[in-house]
Amino acid sequence: MKEGQEQASEMENKDLSSSAHSCSCSRNEDGIDDSILCVLGSKIVRSGLLDSNASGKVLKFVNAGGEDIQNDGDSGICIMHDQAFKGGDILRTNETILECGSLSSLYQSVRFGNFYYQFDDLSCGDYFLDLYFAEIINTNGPEGIRVFDILVQDELAVSELDVYSYVGANRPLKVMDIRVTVGLDGVLVIKFKGVIGTPVVSGICIKEAPKVPDTLLFNNLRTKHISKYEKKIEELNTRCLMKTNECYEAWMSLASLNKQLEKVHQELDKKSFENHCLVQAMGLQETKLKDATRKHDHEKNYWITAINALGNNIKIMKQEQTKLSCKAHECANLVPDMDIVISGIQRQVAQFEDLKQKYNEELLKRRKLYNQVFCRCRPLDKHEVSAGHSMVVDFSASKDGDIGIVTGSSTKKLYRFDRVYAPNDGQVDVVADALPMVISVLDGYNVCIFAYGQTGTGKTFTMEGTEQDRGVNYRTLAALFDTVEERKDIFSCMISISVLEVYNEQIRDLLATSRASKKLEVRQASEGSHHVPGIVEAKVENISEVWNALQAGNNARAVGSNNVNDHSSRSHCMICITVKAKNLINDECTKSKLWLVDLAGSERLAKTDVQGDRLKEAQNINRSLSALGDVISALASKTTHVPYRNSKLTHLLQDSLGGDSKTLMYVQISPSEKDMNETLCSLNFATRVRGVELGPAKKQMDTSELQKLKSSLDKAKQDLRSKDEALKKLEESYQSLEVKIKYKDQVHKNQQEKLDDLVGQLEFKTQLCKQLEKHTSQLSDEVKENKYICSDLQKKIKELEDKRTLQVQPLKFAAQMQSFSSEKSNNTSKERKTWSTHTSMEVMNHNPRVLRASNRLPGHGSDLLRGTESLRELRRKHDAHNKSGVENSFVSSSASVTGSACLFDGKASGARQIDPSKAFARVTRTAKPFPVVRNIMNKDQAQRVKERGAVNTRLWSR
Ligand code: ADP
Ligand code: MG
């Protein structure tokens, strides 16, 4: 109660302070900080007791959220149930409200939420308003969980009331004596507005306001108040001075910070520019690198293609080279073949020469053989030996073909023949010399071998021989068949044999089966050869058939009776071997004859004492032998007419005597002295025959050997010629191939060199690219580093900004306080204002820094704000630059430079337009001014970048 009285008196005092709104920062007697009260005279009380002596008469008392409360206690106030409210909810509690006196039920119900109270039936005038509160909802707090404003007649009466913070939960709190004025409408509106949480109210009490005190009291009260406020103003001034000092210090530190900031800005600008330059350089380098890489790739592709093409070319060339080498090798291999060919040809030529020589020798030989005379002397027979006949034949030089006839004791007649056979020479020796001539029959020559001599000198022995010791006929024919056998691959021969006898100039065919055959005559055929029509020509194929034919002829030979010789000696026995040969190679056919003639005895008729037939025989023999001698003589004398027809013998032998025929005559002589004359006759005849030049032998239609040789020679010559040509061609092609190979080799070498060169270039370019990449990576590292530095700088700036913000806040507060005090001064009195101004001036004069600070503060504040804004702008733009590119960043950085320059401009005439070129000048160390800022700066920058680029280009190109 006592407390209530005190409060009432206090309230009275406060009531006097009119309805002026002011904030009370002091604490009341309850120890409650009532700074939240906005109505002068109102107060906050912890107690919940409803004092009956409360100031003023209670007009209305509403139990908010509750029912009527009857007046049980001393108060005598009737509390009505909740009414006149708009909105909100009700909450009630059964918990005990501590220290609430007798009206605990008032606090146990509350209206809460979005609500207000409107009392409409009040009369015009002033009232006191008491509001009752208790925290019954958030009983566990904490403080500040429910904060709300109370507006009375739409004017703030209580600001940010927090019941819990004052009294805690379930304890009463009331705001008393809120003076309100109700207008003519009689409406009182009490509004509750939640700041944090929802407002609550337990009760509302409207009381009558006491009457207004008189003026004196009011003046006293005012004086009290004024002194109180003056004290407060003084305190505030002191605080203001302190704050000014603090502000000055803060300002100084801010200035230093701004300086630092400027430095940082400069550094940032520099770094930004460097960064920009680096980014540009990097961009340039990147472009270059891309170009280089592209070029490199392009060149790489080109060179790869070129290398592949070259590789293919090389492959092709290698293949060609291999082919050419093969060809060259073939040619080279052919060269030895050519040597072989040449040597073969040379051999053939040598062979040919040899053959030629042999041929010539053969010709000579055969020429010798054409007309050869061999002399054979029989041994003395037993009769002659027994008769004591001496040998008249000297064989001492028989090897040289000389034979001597000892005609007297001191005289000796010498004869020379082609061969001389002594009595002891056998048939083999005699035949051996005749064989070559016989063999030439197979070559187509006509050959005539006959034995001439006195009867009993061995003509028949030489020609026929004995069975044990066969003579010329058998042996030569045997040799003939052997040769035919040897040559059967080249020649096919048909040999036929005719055996004739010319007796008394009559030709007898000894092979004729019938004795009474008609007379045979010699006829000349159309081709010039002579033949005997009707004669038997027995075909023989081997020597035995020949022998049989010879035997048959021998048996058929007429046998005469004579004292000296038998019949055979009186007739010429003639064997004609006809050889028809066909050259199987050139189909050349030859027909040649071999005459083997055993002549009749050449002894003179005088010696023979014969008559009649015998005489006729002898005459015919002599005639025929004479005719033979005549023919030979005619041939020797080369007379145009050769008397072949003078005897059957010469007529038959016409083909085989002279001309192209070969003749061999065996002159048979007897060594006995008794036959010496006949021997000399025979030798003379033989000498006459031998001395006859019968002319060169002529091959009878058989030129096969020669032709063969000739053809082989021609062939060889042609071969040689063609081989020579081929060799020449080969040599030429070989030379051309060599030239080609050399050329290909050269090309190959050149291409190899090119390839090596290209590979070198490729390596160099690859190295260059690597260097570029390295350089780019270095640049990007530098950029990263710069970014890192920038971010550091930004951090620093932010820190500085934060610091500055912290320092600016007290300044702001001081400014507010100052304005507030001036306002108050204006409102109270002019004197106070004068005093206040004086005091302020004094203070300011006392501390000129305060004046400067206070004068400059707003302007600087705005500058700072601008600075801050520019920094923010810078940061924002820098970020944008990081995103969008270099150009924007550059512009923003220049803008920030401008901002920061404005901030620290010493003149108060607003923001100084800093020349950005100077900033660049600082960065680039260029002293030239730039009248047009951005464009020229950009140009300059572009120029510099260009220059740097050019420098960089030169560096790269180097
Ligand atoms: P021609 O035929 O000349 O009348 P032959 O041939 O009938 O003579 O010979 C007469 C004889 O002399 C024969 O008994 C023969 O054997 C012999 N005679 C001839 N020549 C020789 C000789 N060279 N060696 C041995 N005996 C011979
Ligand atoms: Mg005889």
Side-chain angles (χ1 to χ4, degrees):
M1 287 298 286
K2 195 179 179 182
E3 188 187 12
Q5 283 172 357
E6 284 173 2
Q7 281 173 353
S9 66
E10 178 72 18
M11 192 184 67
E12 279 174 6
N13 292 337
K14 282 180 182 174
D15 283 344
L16 295 174
S17 64
S18 84
S19 60
H21 291 267
S22 76
C23 289
S24 172
C25 298
S26 62
R27 291 177 177 267
N28 62 13
E29 291 78 357
D30 233 359
I32 294 173
D33 181 8
D34 54 0
S35 63
I36 60 168
L37 298 175
C38 301
V39 178
L40 198 68
S42 60
K43 56 187 176 185
I44 298 170
V45 181
R46 273 208 185 95
S47 166
L49 293 173
L50 186 65
D51 195 348
S52 57
N53 295 325
S55 63
K57 183 187 172 186
V58 174
L59 296 175
K60 273 194 184 195
F61 202 135
V62 176
N63 180 15
E67 301 300 325
D68 293 341
I69 300 170
Q70 292 304 318
N71 186 11
D72 305 343
D74 301 332
S75 64
I77 294 167
C78 186
I79 300 169
M80 292 182 290
H81 65 273
D82 195 7
Q83 56 186 280
F85 60 86
K86 293 280 187 327
D89 291 313
I90 296 165
L91 257 174
R92 288 175 184 164
T93 183
N94 292 325
E95 287 182 28
T96 310
I97 307 300
L98 301 169
E99 298 171 11
C100 67
S102 57
L103 290 174
S104 70
S105 60
L106 177 69
Y107 296 100
Q108 281 175 329
S109 68
V110 293
R111 177 158 293 277
F112 83 101
N114 187 17
F115 64 93
Y116 70 93
Y117 281 83
Q118 184 174 335
F119 300 95
D120 298 326
D121 49 353
L122 296 171
S123 51
C124 179
D126 286 352
Y127 297 90
F128 277 135
L129 188 64
D130 293 348
L131 297 171
Y132 295 84
F133 301 99
E135 182 57 64
I136 60 168
I137 303 163
N138 297 319
T139 52
N140 291 320
E143 286 183 10
I145 195 166
R146 189 192 306 283
V147 179
F148 54 93
D149 294 338
I150 302 162
L151 291 91
V152 179
Q153 299 292 55
D154 287 329
E155 284 196 6
L156 190 66
V158 181
S159 168
E160 297 184 357
L161 174 65
D162 184 0
V163 178
Y164 189 88
S165 69
Y166 285 101
V167 290
N170 295 329
R171 283 178 183 275
L173 181 79
K174 62 180 177 184
V175 178
M176 291 181 68
D177 298 339
I178 302 167
R179 194 177 188 88
V180 296
T181 304
V182 176
L184 290 170
D185 57 351
V187 175
L188 173 64
V189 178
I190 307 157
K191 289 181 180 171
F192 299 87
K193 281 192 176 172
V195 178
I196 299 165
T198 51
V200 292
V201 67
S202 296
I204 299 168
C205 179
I206 302 167
K207 298 180 290 185
E208 275 184 358
K211 284 179 183 176
V212 178
D214 57 1
T215 312
L216 186 65
L217 182 65
F218 180 76
N219 283 339
N220 288 338
L221 277 171
R222 196 173 61 181
T223 310
K224 268 185 188 176
H225 273 287
I226 285 167
S227 63
K228 188 182 170 184
Y229 280 121
E230 276 174 356
K231 272 183 186 175
K232 277 194 177 177
I233 285 164
E234 211 167 323
E235 277 176 22
L236 283 171
N237 276 333
T238 316
R239 281 174 69 188
C240 181
L241 190 64
M242 278 166 65
K243 290 291 174 188
T244 305
N245 285 337
E246 279 178 15
C247 278
Y248 179 75
E249 281 171 10
W251 167 244
M252 289 310 287
S253 75
L254 184 66
S256 72
L257 280 172
N258 276 334
K259 272 183 187 173
Q260 280 182 22
L261 190 65
E262 190 188 17
K263 275 182 187 171
V264 165
H265 272 302
Q266 281 177 0
E267 216 170 313
L268 182 67
D269 289 342
K270 197 179 166 185
K271 291 290 174 190
S272 292
F273 182 72
E274 278 180 4
N275 191 21
H276 166 71
C277 289
L278 281 170
V279 166
Q280 271 195 339
M282 197 174 78
L284 229 98
Q285 291 297 336
E286 261 180 12
T287 317
K288 274 184 186 177
L289 180 67
K290 273 179 191 170
D291 282 353
T293 311
R294 204 166 42 243
K295 272 185 188 173
H296 173 252
D297 287 344
H298 180 72
E299 283 185 358
K300 197 178 172 182
N301 287 335
Y302 172 74
W303 289 124
I304 284 167
T305 317
I307 285 165
N308 286 339
L310 281 170
N312 287 335
N313 278 347
I314 287 165
K315 267 185 195 172
I316 291 162
M317 282 174 71
K318 273 183 181 173
Q319 283 173 358
E320 279 182 9
Q321 197 187 7
T322 315
K323 279 180 189 174
L324 286 169
S325 296
C326 286
K327 275 186 182 176
H329 279 298
E330 279 173 14
C331 286
N333 289 336
L334 278 173
V335 172
D337 287 348
M338 283 308 295
D339 288 343
I340 291 165
V341 168
I342 289 164
S343 65
I345 289 164
Q346 282 172 348
R347 252 198 328 274
Q348 279 189 355
V349 168
Q351 211 174 343
F352 170 71
E353 288 296 327
D354 186 47
L355 281 169
K356 204 175 164 184
Q357 199 181 344
K358 277 182 182 172
Y359 179 70
N360 288 332
E361 282 174 9
E362 199 69 18
L363 274 179
L364 279 172
K365 259 189 200 173
R366 290 189 184 182
R367 184 163 290 178
K368 282 180 188 172
L369 287 172
Y370 293 150
N371 193 17
Q372 292 191 91
V373 178
F374 297 164
C375 180
R376 190 180 189 188
C377 181
R378 68 163 173 83
L380 288 170
D381 60 25
K382 51 188 178 181
H383 300 290
E384 288 165 339
V385 172
S386 61
H389 291 158
S390 59
M391 292 254 306
V392 292
V393 184
D394 179 16
F395 294 103
S396 57
S398 65
K399 284 191 178 171
D400 299 328
D402 287 346
I403 190 168
I405 303 295
V406 181
T407 53
S409 56
S410 59
T411 58
K412 189 168 71 175
K413 202 167 184 183
L414 281 173
Y415 294 92
R416 171 163 284 195
F417 299 105
D418 296 300
R419 188 79 60 163
V420 173
Y421 301 105
N424 53 347
D425 288 332
Q427 296 282 61
V428 178
D429 303 323
V430 171
V431 173
D433 294 324
L435 279 178
M437 190 175 274
V438 173
I439 297 306
S440 70
V441 174
L442 290 175
D443 300 329
Y445 290 94
N446 287 337
V447 177
C448 182
I449 300 172
F450 51 91
Y452 177 90
Q454 185 185 1
T455 302
T457 51
K459 297 187 291 295
T460 304
F461 181 80
T462 297
M463 296 308 283
E464 288 178 16
T466 57
E467 200 169 349
Q468 293 77 31
D469 195 6
R470 298 187 195 276
V472 171
N473 293 349
Y474 184 87
R475 289 179 190 271
T476 53
L477 287 172
L480 198 66
F481 276 105
D482 287 345
T483 309
V484 167
E485 186 62 23
E486 281 173 14
R487 294 186 180 182
K488 70 178 177 185
D489 293 335
I490 302 164
F491 294 97
S492 73
C493 292
M494 199 177 75
I495 299 171
S496 58
I497 186 168
S498 300
V499 182
L500 304 176
E501 183 187 54
V502 177
Y503 176 71
N504 285 336
E505 288 300 302
Q506 284 183 1
I507 302 166
R508 275 186 64 199
D509 185 357
L510 295 180
L511 296 179
T513 48
S514 142
R515 285 270 174 188
S517 60
K518 64 175 185 180
K519 194 177 176 184
L520 295 169
E521 291 296 333
V522 179
R523 295 277 183 267
Q524 188 172 10
S526 58
E527 70 269 16
S529 65
H530 291 80
H531 68 109
V532 180
I535 200 166
V536 174
E537 292 181 29
K539 245 186 188 175
V540 287
E541 290 181 349
N542 50 54
I543 192 63
S544 64
E545 285 178 8
V546 170
W547 183 249
N548 290 335
L550 290 176
Q551 285 299 109
N554 238 5
N555 294 335
R557 198 169 183 183
V559 177
S561 57
N562 192 294
N563 56 349
V564 183
N565 289 310
D566 55 8
H567 171 77
S568 66
S569 298
R570 305 282 174 196
S571 62
H572 309 294
C573 179
M574 305 169 78
I575 299 166
C576 183
I577 310 293
T578 308
V579 178
K580 287 180 182 172
K582 187 184 177 184
N583 190 323
L584 295 173
I585 294 162
N586 56 14
D587 290 337
E588 192 182 71
C589 291
T590 55
K591 185 180 176 184
S592 51
K593 290 176 189 173
L594 168 64
W595 284 103
L596 301 166
V597 183
D598 180 7
L599 289 168
S602 62
E603 60 271 8
R604 290 171 298 173
L605 285 172
K607 266 199 170 179
T608 56
D609 188 12
V610 288
Q611 295 289 325
D613 288 340
R614 293 285 179 266
L615 180 63
K616 195 184 173 183
E617 279 176 6
Q619 285 174 339
N620 281 333
I621 289 165
N622 282 336
R623 193 186 299 145
S624 64
L625 290 174
S626 298
L628 181 63
D630 291 340
V631 165
I632 290 169
S633 176
L635 289 168
S637 60
K638 294 182 181 174
T639 54
T640 51
H641 176 69
V642 180
Y644 290 107
R645 296 187 177 222
N646 284 351
S647 70
K648 294 287 178 207
L649 173 71
T650 53
H651 202 187
L652 278 169
L653 293 173
Q654 188 170 345
D655 298 337
S656 309
L657 283 175
D660 52 356
S661 301
K662 302 177 180 182
T663 308
L664 171 64
M665 180 182 278
Y666 285 102
V667 177
Q668 299 288 138
I669 56 170
S670 161
S672 168
E673 58 184 340
K674 67 173 173 69
D675 297 320
M676 191 179 65
N677 290 332
E678 284 299 329
T679 300
L680 287 171
C681 285
S682 293
L683 289 174
N684 288 332
F685 181 82
T687 305
R688 186 183 162 202
V689 168
R690 188 175 177 261
V692 169
E693 185 61 50
L694 294 176
K698 191 176 170 187
K699 185 178 170 182
Q700 292 301 308
M701 297 163 65
D702 179 18
T703 52
S704 63
E705 191 72 18
L706 190 63
Q707 282 299 321
K708 196 181 157 190
L709 282 167
K710 274 185 181 172
S711 66
S712 71
L713 180 67
D714 289 342
K715 204 178 167 187
K717 276 181 181 173
Q718 205 164 351
D719 277 350
L720 187 63
R721 225 173 288 136
S722 63
K723 296 273 179 184
D724 270 342
E725 279 175 8
L727 184 64
K728 203 176 277 178
K729 276 182 187 172
L730 281 170
E731 274 178 357
E732 278 173 9
S733 68
Y734 181 65
Q735 279 173 358
S736 71
L737 283 172
E738 268 189 344
V739 169
K740 271 185 186 176
I741 287 169
K742 272 181 189 170
Y743 173 71
K744 294 267 177 184
D745 273 344
Q746 189 61 38
V747 169
H748 181 243
K749 208 180 276 178
N750 286 344
Q751 288 198 340
Q752 194 66 44
E753 279 173 10
K754 265 188 190 174
L755 194 65
D756 291 343
D757 193 22
L758 288 174
V759 168
Q761 276 185 25
L762 201 62
E763 278 175 5
F764 175 70
K765 296 221 167 177
T766 311
Q767 215 168 352
L768 205 68
C769 274
K770 274 180 190 170
Q771 281 179 359
L772 272 170
E773 278 173 4
K774 204 175 166 184
H775 191 72
T776 310
S777 70
Q778 277 177 1
L779 280 172
S780 61
D781 285 343
E782 276 180 31
V783 168
K784 274 181 193 171
E785 208 176 322
N786 279 328
K787 276 183 184 173
Y788 184 71
I789 289 164
C790 281
S791 68
D792 267 359
L793 286 169
Q794 281 171 0
K795 270 183 193 173
K796 274 183 187 176
I797 288 163
K798 203 178 177 185
E799 282 171 9
L800 286 168
E801 274 178 4
D802 290 339
K803 270 186 189 177
R804 193 180 56 179
T805 315
L806 282 170
Q807 286 171 355
V808 164
Q809 267 181 354
L811 282 173
K812 266 187 185 174
F813 179 71
Q816 271 183 1
M817 286 305 294
Q818 200 174 9
S819 69
F820 172 72
S821 73
S822 65
E823 217 175 271
K824 278 288 172 188
S825 302
N826 284 333
N827 284 341
T828 48
S829 70
K830 277 181 182 176
E831 287 171 16
R832 286 297 148 200
K833 191 175 176 184
T834 312
W835 177 87
S836 176
T837 312
H838 175 75
T839 317
S840 300
M841 286 301 288
E842 232 177 36
V843 169
M844 284 167 197
N845 286 335
H846 182 69
N847 195 348
R849 288 180 301 177
V850 175
L851 179 65
R852 278 204 301 277
S854 60
N855 279 343
R856 284 170 63 184
L857 198 59
H860 281 292
S862 66
D863 275 355
L864 278 168
L865 189 64
R866 263 188 283 167
T868 315
E869 275 173 3
S870 73
L871 280 169
R872 280 178 190 159
E873 183 76 2
L874 172 69
R875 256 208 311 277
R876 188 177 60 75
K877 285 183 180 176
H878 190 269
D879 290 342
H881 150 72
N882 282 342
K883 283 174 188 172
S884 66
V886 180
E887 186 69 26
N888 292 334
S889 157
F890 184 75
V891 173
S892 72
S893 73
S894 67
S896 74
V897 167
T898 314
S900 62
C902 288
L903 181 63
F904 294 102
D905 191 0
K907 294 172 187 173
S909 60
R912 180 169 64 89
Q913 284 294 318
I914 192 161
D915 190 349
S917 65
K918 284 183 181 171
F920 274 101
R922 283 197 295 275
V923 175
T924 58
R925 297 177 192 281
T926 308
K928 284 183 183 174
F930 292 90
V932 182
V933 177
R934 186 173 293 182
N935 292 340
I936 291 181
M937 178 175 67
N938 287 341
K939 277 179 189 174
D940 178 67
Q941 176 193 354
Q943 183 61 31
R944 277 163 207 291
V945 168
K946 213 181 260 182
E947 280 173 15
R948 286 177 192 203
V951 169
N952 284 340
T953 314
R954 281 199 294 278
L955 279 166
W956 280 112
S957 65
R958 216 175 295 142

Short mmCIF file of all heavy atoms in Angstrom, two decimals, residues 376-379 381 423 425 453-462 565-566 569 598 668, ligand 1:
data_model
loop_
_atom_site.label_atom_id
_atom_site.label_comp_id
_atom_site.label_asym_id
_atom_site.label_seq_id
_atom_site.Cartn_x
_atom_site.Cartn_y
_atom_site.Cartn_z
N ARG A 376 101.83 -103.65 -156.38
CA ARG A 376 101.99 -104.80 -155.46
C ARG A 376 102.77 -105.91 -156.19
O ARG A 376 102.46 -106.26 -157.34
CB ARG A 376 100.62 -105.31 -155.05
CG ARG A 376 100.71 -106.34 -153.93
CD ARG A 376 99.34 -106.85 -153.51
NE ARG A 376 99.46 -107.67 -152.30
CZ ARG A 376 98.49 -108.37 -151.78
NH1 ARG A 376 97.27 -108.36 -152.35
NH2 ARG A 376 98.67 -109.09 -150.70
N CYS A 377 103.69 -106.35 -155.42
CA CYS A 377 104.53 -107.41 -155.99
C CYS A 377 104.32 -108.70 -155.22
O CYS A 377 104.37 -108.70 -153.99
CB CYS A 377 106.03 -106.98 -155.90
SG CYS A 377 107.17 -108.19 -156.61
N ARG A 378 104.04 -109.72 -155.97
CA ARG A 378 103.81 -111.01 -155.27
C ARG A 378 105.15 -111.66 -154.91
O ARG A 378 106.18 -111.33 -155.53
CB ARG A 378 102.96 -111.95 -156.13
CG ARG A 378 103.66 -112.46 -157.41
CD ARG A 378 102.97 -113.68 -157.99
NE ARG A 378 103.59 -114.00 -159.28
CZ ARG A 378 104.70 -114.70 -159.40
NH1 ARG A 378 105.37 -115.14 -158.34
NH2 ARG A 378 105.17 -114.98 -160.59
N PRO A 379 105.09 -112.51 -153.99
CA PRO A 379 106.37 -113.22 -153.68
C PRO A 379 106.72 -114.25 -154.79
O PRO A 379 105.85 -114.60 -155.59
CB PRO A 379 106.05 -113.92 -152.34
CG PRO A 379 104.58 -114.04 -152.27
CD PRO A 379 103.99 -112.96 -153.13
N ASP A 381 106.97 -117.55 -156.33
CA ASP A 381 106.27 -118.80 -155.96
C ASP A 381 107.30 -119.93 -155.88
O ASP A 381 108.48 -119.75 -156.22
CB ASP A 381 105.14 -119.10 -156.94
CG ASP A 381 105.58 -119.28 -158.39
OD1 ASP A 381 106.75 -119.66 -158.60
OD2 ASP A 381 104.78 -119.00 -159.31
N PRO A 423 106.22 -108.07 -151.20
CA PRO A 423 105.60 -109.42 -151.20
C PRO A 423 105.08 -109.82 -149.83
O PRO A 423 104.08 -110.54 -149.74
CB PRO A 423 106.75 -110.32 -151.64
CG PRO A 423 107.62 -109.45 -152.45
CD PRO A 423 107.56 -108.11 -151.83
N ASP A 425 103.73 -107.88 -147.66
CA ASP A 425 102.58 -107.08 -147.18
C ASP A 425 101.29 -107.87 -147.37
O ASP A 425 101.05 -108.45 -148.44
CB ASP A 425 102.48 -105.76 -147.94
CG ASP A 425 103.60 -104.80 -147.53
OD1 ASP A 425 104.08 -104.89 -146.38
OD2 ASP A 425 103.98 -103.92 -148.35
N GLY A 453 97.77 -106.21 -164.54
CA GLY A 453 99.06 -106.90 -164.43
C GLY A 453 99.08 -108.19 -165.25
O GLY A 453 98.06 -108.64 -165.80
N GLN A 454 100.21 -108.68 -165.33
CA GLN A 454 100.46 -109.94 -166.03
C GLN A 454 99.72 -111.06 -165.33
O GLN A 454 99.50 -110.97 -164.11
CB GLN A 454 101.99 -110.21 -165.98
CG GLN A 454 102.45 -111.36 -166.73
CD GLN A 454 103.96 -111.59 -166.49
OE1 GLN A 454 104.62 -110.87 -165.75
NE2 GLN A 454 104.50 -112.61 -167.15
N THR A 455 99.34 -112.03 -166.11
CA THR A 455 98.63 -113.15 -165.48
C THR A 455 99.57 -113.84 -164.49
O THR A 455 100.76 -114.03 -164.76
CB THR A 455 98.16 -114.15 -166.55
OG1 THR A 455 97.31 -113.48 -167.48
CG2 THR A 455 97.45 -115.34 -165.93
N GLY A 456 99.01 -114.16 -163.36
CA GLY A 456 99.78 -114.87 -162.34
C GLY A 456 100.55 -113.95 -161.40
O GLY A 456 101.34 -114.38 -160.57
N THR A 457 100.29 -112.63 -161.55
CA THR A 457 100.98 -111.72 -160.64
C THR A 457 100.18 -111.44 -159.37
O THR A 457 100.62 -110.72 -158.47
CB THR A 457 101.30 -110.37 -161.31
OG1 THR A 457 100.08 -109.87 -161.91
CG2 THR A 457 102.39 -110.51 -162.37
N GLY A 458 98.96 -111.99 -159.34
CA GLY A 458 98.18 -111.86 -158.07
C GLY A 458 97.02 -110.89 -158.17
O GLY A 458 96.56 -110.36 -157.15
N LYS A 459 96.52 -110.61 -159.42
CA LYS A 459 95.37 -109.71 -159.53
C LYS A 459 94.16 -110.30 -158.81
O LYS A 459 93.51 -109.62 -158.00
CB LYS A 459 95.01 -109.47 -161.02
CG LYS A 459 96.07 -108.81 -161.85
CD LYS A 459 95.60 -108.46 -163.24
CE LYS A 459 95.36 -109.71 -164.10
NZ LYS A 459 96.59 -110.49 -164.40
N THR A 460 93.88 -111.54 -159.14
CA THR A 460 92.72 -112.18 -158.51
C THR A 460 92.93 -112.33 -157.01
O THR A 460 92.02 -112.17 -156.21
CB THR A 460 92.48 -113.55 -159.17
OG1 THR A 460 92.33 -113.35 -160.59
CG2 THR A 460 91.26 -114.23 -158.61
N PHE A 461 94.23 -112.60 -156.68
CA PHE A 461 94.54 -112.73 -155.25
C PHE A 461 94.27 -111.41 -154.52
O PHE A 461 93.67 -111.39 -153.43
CB PHE A 461 96.03 -113.15 -155.08
CG PHE A 461 96.43 -113.34 -153.66
CD1 PHE A 461 96.10 -114.52 -152.97
CD2 PHE A 461 97.14 -112.35 -152.99
CE1 PHE A 461 96.48 -114.68 -151.66
CE2 PHE A 461 97.51 -112.52 -151.66
CZ PHE A 461 97.19 -113.68 -150.97
N THR A 462 94.68 -110.34 -155.17
CA THR A 462 94.46 -109.03 -154.50
C THR A 462 92.97 -108.71 -154.42
O THR A 462 92.48 -108.28 -153.40
CB THR A 462 95.20 -107.92 -155.27
OG1 THR A 462 96.61 -108.18 -155.23
CG2 THR A 462 94.93 -106.54 -154.67
N ASN A 565 97.50 -119.39 -168.43
CA ASN A 565 96.46 -118.86 -167.53
C ASN A 565 95.12 -119.56 -167.77
O ASN A 565 94.87 -120.11 -168.83
CB ASN A 565 96.28 -117.38 -167.77
CG ASN A 565 97.48 -116.60 -167.26
OD1 ASN A 565 97.91 -116.79 -166.12
ND2 ASN A 565 98.07 -115.81 -168.14
N ASP A 566 94.36 -119.50 -166.90
CA ASP A 566 93.02 -120.06 -167.08
C ASP A 566 92.08 -119.02 -167.69
O ASP A 566 92.51 -117.91 -168.06
CB ASP A 566 92.48 -120.56 -165.74
CG ASP A 566 92.51 -119.48 -164.70
OD1 ASP A 566 92.79 -118.30 -165.05
OD2 ASP A 566 92.22 -119.73 -163.51
N SER A 569 91.76 -115.44 -166.58
CA SER A 569 92.80 -114.47 -166.92
C SER A 569 92.56 -113.84 -168.28
O SER A 569 93.20 -112.86 -168.62
CB SER A 569 94.18 -115.17 -166.91
OG SER A 569 94.47 -115.66 -165.64
N ASP A 598 88.72 -107.02 -161.97
CA ASP A 598 89.90 -107.91 -162.06
C ASP A 598 90.17 -108.08 -163.56
O ASP A 598 89.48 -108.82 -164.26
CB ASP A 598 89.56 -109.25 -161.37
CG ASP A 598 90.73 -110.26 -161.39
OD1 ASP A 598 91.85 -109.85 -161.81
OD2 ASP A 598 90.51 -111.40 -161.00
N GLN A 668 99.91 -105.10 -160.47
CA GLN A 668 100.46 -106.35 -159.94
C GLN A 668 101.71 -106.73 -160.76
O GLN A 668 101.68 -106.71 -162.00
CB GLN A 668 99.44 -107.49 -160.03
CG GLN A 668 98.17 -107.26 -159.25
CD GLN A 668 98.36 -107.37 -157.74
OE1 GLN A 668 97.83 -106.59 -156.98
NE2 GLN A 668 99.21 -108.34 -157.32
P1 ADP B 1 96.55 -113.77 -161.91
O1 ADP B 1 95.19 -113.64 -161.42
O2 ADP B 1 97.23 -112.48 -162.05
O3 ADP B 1 96.60 -114.55 -163.04
P2 ADP B 1 96.71 -115.21 -159.47
O4 ADP B 1 96.02 -114.38 -158.62
O5 ADP B 1 95.90 -116.35 -160.06
O6 ADP B 1 97.32 -114.44 -160.72
O7 ADP B 1 98.06 -115.80 -158.80
C1 ADP B 1 98.78 -116.76 -159.24
C2 ADP B 1 99.34 -117.50 -158.05
O8 ADP B 1 100.21 -116.71 -157.31
C3 ADP B 1 98.28 -117.90 -157.09
O9 ADP B 1 98.51 -119.28 -156.76
C4 ADP B 1 98.42 -117.05 -155.96
O10 ADP B 1 98.10 -117.75 -154.85
C5 ADP B 1 99.82 -116.69 -155.98
N1 ADP B 1 100.04 -115.39 -155.51
C6 ADP B 1 99.81 -114.25 -156.17
N2 ADP B 1 100.10 -113.18 -155.45
C7 ADP B 1 100.54 -113.65 -154.30
C8 ADP B 1 100.97 -112.97 -153.09
N3 ADP B 1 101.07 -111.67 -152.98
N4 ADP B 1 101.30 -113.77 -152.06
C9 ADP B 1 101.24 -115.09 -152.13
N5 ADP B 1 100.85 -115.75 -153.17
C10 ADP B 1 100.48 -115.03 -154.30
#
